[in-house]
Amino acid sequence: MRDFDPLQTRRREYIFSVLKNVFEKYGYEQIQTPSMEYLSVLTGKYGDEGERLMYKVLNSGDYLAGVEGPWESRSLTPKICEKALRYDLTVPFARYVANKRNELALPFKRYQIQPVWRADRPQKGRYREFYQCDVDAVGSRSLQFEAEFVLIYDEALSRLGFLDFTVHVNHRKILTGISRVVGAEHKLTDLCTAMDKLDKIGVDGVKKELSERGIENFEKILPILHGIDVNELKNWADGDEAVEEGLQELNEIYSYLQITSPGRAKLKFTPSLARGLNYYTGPIFEVTINGGGVGSVGGGGRYDDLTGAFGWKDLPGVGISFGADRIYDAMETLGLFEKRDFYAPPLFFVNFGGECGKKAFGIAGECRNVGISAEVYPDPAHKLAKQFAYADKRGIKKVAILGPDDLAVGKIQLKDMTTGVQETVEIASFIAKLRG
Amino acid sequence: MRDFDPLQTRRREYIFSVLKNVFEKYGYEQIQTPSMEYLSVLTGKYGDEGERLMYKVLNSGDYLAGVEGPWESRSLTPKICEKALRYDLTVPFARYVANKRNELALPFKRYQIQPVWRADRPQKGRYREFYQCDVDAVGSRSLQFEAEFVLIYDEALSRLGFLDFTVHVNHRKILTGISRVVGAEHKLTDLCTAMDKLDKIGVDGVKKELSERGIENFEKILPILHGIDVNELKNWADGDEAVEEGLQELNEIYSYLQITSPGRAKLKFTPSLARGLNYYTGPIFEVTINGGGVGSVGGGGRYDDLTGAFGWKDLPGVGISFGADRIYDAMETLGLFEKRDFYAPPLFFVNFGGECGKKAFGIAGECRNVGISAEVYPDPAHKLAKQFAYADKRGIKKVAILGPDDLAVGKIQLKDMTTGVQETVEIASFIAKLRG
């Protein structure tokens, strides 16, 4: 797990602030759920691997009282742990929605930006504590939301500075249709699992994996892997009903996006895109940054039953997710942080001590009163060179110098640390000067 | 543990944003540390009660492999848990500072706003997951920081809307001196523990508790409990050296606060104020909201040795903390949220479907392009009354109505949900109208 220093924290907060601002512009509201959930809420939702990677929290007090073994990890855990750390934001959101069934205004449009924890082996781009940023609209079947999510990806990633990215679109029904057309109707999961690895293992790898999974009709599948547009797919599928239905819904989404077009996002129909097959039932999305070896920074789709496990059946919805850590890494790789001016360091007052120090303290206070960040070096005994070195290390851009000679004539010197230019300003007009 | 709905989340985020803004105006920078720390980092820092209340995280995988008992809670815990959830922000901060010893610019001015977890019995104003907001400056003995912290309390609480609050000030050396003067030099902790309860148990309660702790010189202590100003204390202490030293430092702090005075905060010398006695070594603070039964919303002080436990001896510093949950409760009690305009709900477009719906979708997009939050009701099949009821429940202030008749004449109707006033605007000038 990671510490974040001031620079990293600023950059992360910048990403979150852009996402929040965009989500709110579309009318989504933030909620937060607790870091811990009862195991009874989480169990059975994430499969075996998920349950293995979930961080369980030891019961407090004498947690072994009344426990009689067997002293074996798997069976002991539920006896000594009743809570675990949040593993994703979807299950806590579903629990939240089901809890508030009687008070929510539907469609409920919420976003949530919180850390989740997974006891995974750490590797590049994968962390044990990381933030998920989810936006969902539940309680409506309108495809207007899908169109808006494309626009949300477009606006958020554009504002973060990405110039070239693609929103891949597909539909769960199209995948069903494809499986039927290639004669693998009963092997939908196998087909999708193999196709979904296209980016990682290439066409030959997918061919091998399909064969291992008992799907041999590779020549027919090949165009899907190579990419095929909507009209070509129509021909390819030769009137398959599920494919037609899926395409019709995608067309409706496109019709909205002709009214309000994405500015930068490339929209691409990617029939091999599968994502969480057991969960999604309608249109699905994945967004990739092109270039820089960054890959996917988010995805999502439509589902039919968010809250069934919590007693509210057949509540539909659609949602997308942004991977904040991936976005951070991508922005770093592409040098996007340097181009963004999201931090103004404080104005730094050198401290000459005595009356000069007190005067600097007072002027710094006046700066803050008009909204300008300001600080006075705390120890007047330190030499000027040391004070300047400190300012430099802090990334200070402007230094105010108020020595005894300056004070005597009512002046202050303002040094631009970037250009080295130093100018003399009347103390009386100093604030006005700073405010430009 | 608590879910936060949109309203609560907005309000909490508002508090955090005010605090961050004030901290940054004084040149403090944000860091973040992981939610989990190794038990080796946390153990021995919080006393027995702290260790009992700490949430330990079960090791992942086959955590019992190689463990041979005894099957007894206390001794088993360190064998099956190597991490625990953050219990406060101070110890992780100390660990962070010691880790970065070779790269930090001193004084290091950091703030940190993150949740901490304690397995405490929940009660009004006390939660198992709650946010701490800490600001510290380490690596300097300058009392300028203490003065700034008073100003930070003043500005932050004023901006949140509090009109009447007091920053109580004392000094650890004054407490030492008092214990000497009343003949309880070797019972400093007992004396302070009893005095610190003054708010809760009153003068008679403190008298009883002092007596139980073997301190009988109550008549001499009484003026300290009743409150006594700086000059009276000087006389009372009759030249005690520690008291003199403490008062001299407080005077230096006051001298800064005469240059830049707090706007609202009442500054009060409170010689019975004790706070974390084992930790603080210099000036100490506590801030209370007056009225509304709210009490303390923060405190802090100067310490001599932040990082000794992590191998960096004698690193001095000073810091304060804001209790965000207490502040939230106080703002709610005093009705301060209602008076603050920190949320603009989106402009809401009724959806008439067909061309009208598409046009609304487009205009909503134009609104967002100029920074105005906007959303279109997703389902045109729903009756207008239902759409309005939804808008109302969402707290929408302005509704845009674009029916077939409006569209035919290029107009849109804008309804103010608060006043009920509805006006007709040309579509062409709608955005300009909204921007006012």
Side-chain angles (χ1 to χ4, degrees):
Chain A
M1 301 195 197
R2 301 164 290 166
D3 285 324
F4 298 109
D5 67 21
L7 179 69
Q8 292 164 326
T9 306
R10 267 197 311 266
R11 291 175 166 185
R12 288 167 59 83
E13 293 279 303
Y14 169 71
I15 293 171
F16 296 140
S17 74
V18 168
L19 295 181
K20 286 178 183 185
N21 185 277
V22 174
F23 300 161
E24 289 179 7
K25 263 172 76 176
Y26 282 81
Y28 290 83
E29 302 191 275
Q30 190 175 194
I31 68 161
Q32 294 186 328
T33 65
S35 299
M36 286 178 236
E37 295 278 352
Y38 283 106
L39 271 177
S40 54
V41 166
L42 302 178
T43 302
K45 311 296 191 302
Y46 302 111
D48 279 352
E49 203 205 353
E51 277 174 36
R52 198 168 49 75
L53 299 182
M54 205 180 284
Y55 280 109
K56 286 96 182 173
V57 177
L58 198 63
N59 295 341
S60 49
D62 184 9
Y63 56 90
L64 280 181
V67 174
E68 295 188 342
W71 305 111
E72 182 276 315
S73 299
R74 199 181 246 278
S75 60
L76 186 64
T77 305
K79 298 176 193 163
I80 63 174
C81 299
E82 62 170 25
K83 298 198 195 82
L85 292 180
R86 197 162 47 213
Y87 184 81
D88 73 357
L89 300 181
T90 303
V91 171
F93 174 52
R95 197 246 330 123
Y96 175 97
V97 167
N99 280 357
K100 306 224 177 226
R101 178 167 191 166
N102 295 321
E103 49 187 283
L104 284 184
L106 292 184
F108 180 48
K109 300 169 66 174
R110 87 85 171 80
Y111 75 90
Q112 196 169 347
I113 298 181
Q114 292 194 280
V116 303
W117 295 269
R118 297 181 185 180
D120 219 340
R121 198 174 300 275
Q123 49 179 280
K124 172 75 185 162
R126 190 176 291 179
Y127 309 98
R128 290 183 164 176
E129 174 173 45
F130 61 99
Y131 271 72
Q132 288 191 337
C133 312
D134 283 14
V135 211
D136 288 83
V138 298
S140 167
R141 297 187 191 279
S142 169
L143 295 168
Q144 185 179 297
F145 287 116
E146 274 84 338
E148 279 185 2
F149 283 133
V150 172
L151 296 174
I152 286 175
Y153 271 134
D154 181 52
E155 180 167 351
L157 294 174
S158 299
R159 278 175 55 187
L160 290 170
F162 293 103
L163 299 175
D164 186 6
F165 53 96
T166 302
V167 180
H168 299 270
V169 184
N170 196 11
H171 196 294
R172 170 63 200 270
K173 284 184 180 164
I174 291 174
L175 289 167
T176 303
I178 289 172
S179 74
R180 204 184 290 166
V181 173
V182 304
E185 195 172 355
H186 302 294
K187 295 203 167 185
L188 176 61
T189 305
D190 285 308
L191 177 69
C192 291
T193 306
M195 289 200 308
D196 219 26
K197 292 184 183 168
L198 181 59
D199 271 0
K200 285 179 191 148
I201 61 181
V203 170
D204 290 342
V206 174
K207 181 176 182 180
K208 186 160 166 275
E209 178 138 358
L210 285 168
S211 172
E212 284 165 9
R213 292 171 181 269
I215 303 171
E216 299 294 353
N217 194 359
F218 185 70
E219 291 311 310
K220 183 72 183 170
I221 298 170
L222 195 58
I224 304 294
L225 298 179
H226 277 154
I228 186 174
D229 73 16
V230 167
N231 290 322
E232 290 163 346
L233 182 71
K234 258 184 197 288
N235 293 331
W236 180 91
D238 195 22
D240 177 89
E241 204 175 292
V243 168
E244 293 286 338
E245 283 177 23
L247 287 174
Q248 200 176 327
E249 291 203 354
L250 295 190
N251 266 333
E252 191 176 337
I253 298 170
Y254 293 153
S255 76
Y256 282 111
L257 294 174
Q258 270 154 12
I259 303 167
T260 303
S261 309
R264 286 204 183 277
K266 298 186 174 82
L267 204 60
K268 184 167 191 292
F269 173 58
T270 303
S272 61
L273 175 70
R275 293 196 67 86
L277 198 64
N278 299 321
Y279 181 61
Y280 294 122
T281 53
I284 48 183
F285 302 104
E286 185 162 292
V287 57
T288 54
I289 305 295
N290 304 320
V294 172
S296 166
V297 295
R302 177 166 286 279
Y303 41 85
D304 266 347
D305 180 19
L306 177 70
T307 48
F310 301 103
W312 185 355
K313 298 283 179 209
D314 301 325
L315 180 70
V318 53
I320 57 170
S321 183
F322 287 77
D325 292 275
R326 285 280 188 88
I327 289 172
Y328 184 102
D329 293 345
M331 290 183 69
E332 204 163 49
T333 303
L334 298 172
L336 300 183
F337 287 121
E338 285 74 8
K339 295 179 188 148
R340 320 207 87 63
D341 197 15
F342 50 82
Y343 175 63
L347 171 65
F348 181 88
F349 286 81
V350 167
N351 192 339
F352 285 81
E355 282 312 301
C356 292
K358 298 261 152 107
K359 186 72 183 171
F361 187 88
I363 299 175
E366 289 173 37
C367 288
R368 291 182 209 113
N369 284 345
V370 297
I372 298 166
S373 303
E375 65 175 73
V376 183
Y377 189 79
D379 195 335
H382 292 165
K383 289 190 176 142
L384 288 195
K386 181 166 180 172
Q387 299 191 30
F388 269 98
Y390 173 77
D392 200 46
K393 201 164 174 188
R394 284 276 306 280
I396 299 291
K397 298 266 171 61
K398 281 184 182 167
V399 174
I401 303 157
L402 181 63
D405 296 347
D406 302 308
L407 186 60
V409 295
K411 299 203 167 163
I412 196 164
Q413 302 194 50
L414 187 60
K415 180 169 182 175
D416 184 312
M417 295 287 276
T418 316
T419 62
V421 173
Q422 188 164 319
E423 57 181 321
T424 305
V425 185
E426 300 274 344
I427 292 179
S429 58
F430 183 66
I431 299 282
K433 160 87 189 164
L434 290 174
R435 299 178 88 174
Chain B
M1 300 195 197
R2 302 165 289 167
D3 285 324
F4 297 109
D5 68 20
L7 179 69
Q8 292 164 325
T9 305
R10 264 192 320 261
R11 290 175 166 185
R12 290 166 57 84
E13 293 279 303
Y14 170 70
I15 293 172
F16 295 140
S17 73
V18 168
L19 294 181
K20 285 177 183 186
N21 184 278
V22 174
F23 300 161
E24 289 179 8
K25 263 172 75 176
Y26 283 81
Y28 291 82
E29 302 190 276
Q30 191 176 192
I31 68 162
Q32 293 186 328
T33 64
S35 299
M36 285 178 235
E37 295 278 350
Y38 284 106
L39 270 178
S40 55
V41 166
L42 302 177
T43 302
K45 309 297 191 301
Y46 302 111
D48 280 354
E49 204 205 354
E51 276 172 39
R52 199 167 50 75
L53 299 182
M54 204 180 284
Y55 280 109
K56 285 100 185 171
V57 177
L58 199 63
N59 294 342
S60 49
D62 184 8
Y63 57 90
L64 280 182
V67 174
E68 297 190 339
W71 306 110
E72 181 276 315
S73 300
R74 198 182 247 276
S75 60
L76 186 65
T77 304
K79 297 176 193 162
I80 62 174
C81 299
E82 62 171 24
K83 298 197 194 83
L85 292 179
R86 198 162 45 214
Y87 184 80
D88 73 358
L89 301 180
T90 304
V91 171
F93 174 51
R95 196 242 335 120
Y96 175 96
V97 167
N99 281 357
K100 306 226 176 224
R101 178 168 190 167
N102 296 321
E103 49 187 284
L104 284 184
L106 293 185
F108 179 50
K109 300 169 67 174
R110 88 83 172 79
Y111 75 88
Q112 196 170 347
I113 298 181
Q114 293 193 280
V116 302
W117 295 270
R118 297 182 184 179
D120 219 342
R121 197 173 298 276
Q123 49 179 278
K124 172 76 186 160
R126 188 177 292 182
Y127 309 98
R128 289 182 164 176
E129 174 173 44
F130 61 99
Y131 271 72
Q132 288 192 336
C133 312
D134 282 15
V135 210
D136 287 82
V138 297
S140 167
R141 296 187 191 280
S142 168
L143 295 168
Q144 186 179 294
F145 288 116
E146 274 84 339
E148 280 185 3
F149 283 133
V150 172
L151 295 174
I152 286 174
Y153 271 134
D154 180 53
E155 181 167 350
L157 295 174
S158 299
R159 278 175 53 187
L160 290 170
F162 293 103
L163 299 174
D164 186 5
F165 54 95
T166 302
V167 180
H168 299 270
V169 184
N170 197 12
H171 197 293
R172 170 65 200 269
K173 284 184 181 165
I174 291 174
L175 289 166
T176 304
I178 290 172
S179 74
R180 204 183 288 165
V181 172
V182 304
E185 196 172 351
H186 303 294
K187 295 203 168 187
L188 176 61
T189 306
D190 284 309
L191 176 68
C192 290
T193 307
M195 287 201 309
D196 219 28
K197 293 184 183 168
L198 180 60
D199 270 2
K200 286 178 192 149
I201 61 179
V203 170
D204 289 343
V206 174
K207 182 177 181 179
K208 187 159 164 276
E209 177 139 357
L210 284 169
S211 170
E212 284 164 9
R213 291 170 181 269
I215 302 170
E216 298 294 353
N217 195 358
F218 184 71
E219 291 310 311
K220 182 72 184 173
I221 297 169
L222 195 58
I224 303 296
L225 298 179
H226 277 154
I228 185 173
D229 72 18
V230 166
N231 290 323
E232 289 164 345
L233 182 69
K234 259 186 198 285
N235 293 333
W236 180 91
D238 196 21
D240 176 88
E241 206 175 292
V243 168
E244 293 287 337
E245 283 175 25
L247 287 175
Q248 200 176 326
E249 291 203 353
L250 296 190
N251 267 333
E252 191 178 336
I253 298 170
Y254 292 153
S255 76
Y256 282 110
L257 295 173
Q258 269 155 12
I259 303 167
T260 303
S261 308
R264 285 204 184 278
K266 298 187 174 86
L267 202 61
K268 185 166 191 291
F269 172 60
T270 304
S272 61
L273 176 67
R275 294 195 68 85
L277 198 64
N278 299 319
Y279 182 60
Y280 295 121
T281 53
I284 48 182
F285 302 104
E286 185 161 293
V287 56
T288 55
I289 305 296
N290 304 319
V294 173
S296 166
V297 294
R302 177 165 284 278
Y303 42 84
D304 267 346
D305 180 18
L306 176 70
T307 49
F310 301 103
W312 185 355
K313 298 284 178 206
D314 302 326
L315 180 69
V318 53
I320 58 170
S321 182
F322 287 77
D325 293 276
R326 285 280 188 88
I327 289 172
Y328 184 103
D329 293 346
M331 289 182 69
E332 202 162 51
T333 304
L334 298 171
L336 300 184
F337 288 120
E338 285 74 8
K339 294 179 188 150
R340 322 208 86 63
D341 196 13
F342 50 82
Y343 175 63
L347 171 64
F348 181 89
F349 286 80
V350 167
N351 192 341
F352 286 81
E355 282 311 301
C356 293
K358 298 263 153 107
K359 186 74 184 169
F361 188 86
I363 299 176
E366 290 173 37
C367 288
R368 291 183 208 113
N369 284 343
V370 299
I372 297 167
S373 303
E375 65 175 74
V376 183
Y377 189 79
D379 196 334
H382 291 165
K383 289 193 176 141
L384 288 195
K386 183 168 180 173
Q387 298 190 30
F388 269 99
Y390 174 76
D392 200 46
K393 201 164 176 190
R394 284 276 305 279
I396 300 291
K397 298 267 172 61
K398 281 183 180 167
V399 174
I401 303 156
L402 181 63
D405 296 348
D406 302 308
L407 186 59
V409 295
K411 298 203 170 165
I412 195 164
Q413 302 194 50
L414 186 61
K415 179 168 183 177
D416 184 314
M417 295 287 276
T418 317
T419 62
V421 173
Q422 188 164 320
E423 56 182 322
T424 306
V425 185
E426 301 273 345
I427 291 179
S429 58
F430 183 65
I431 300 283
K433 161 87 188 165
L434 289 175
R435 299 177 89 172

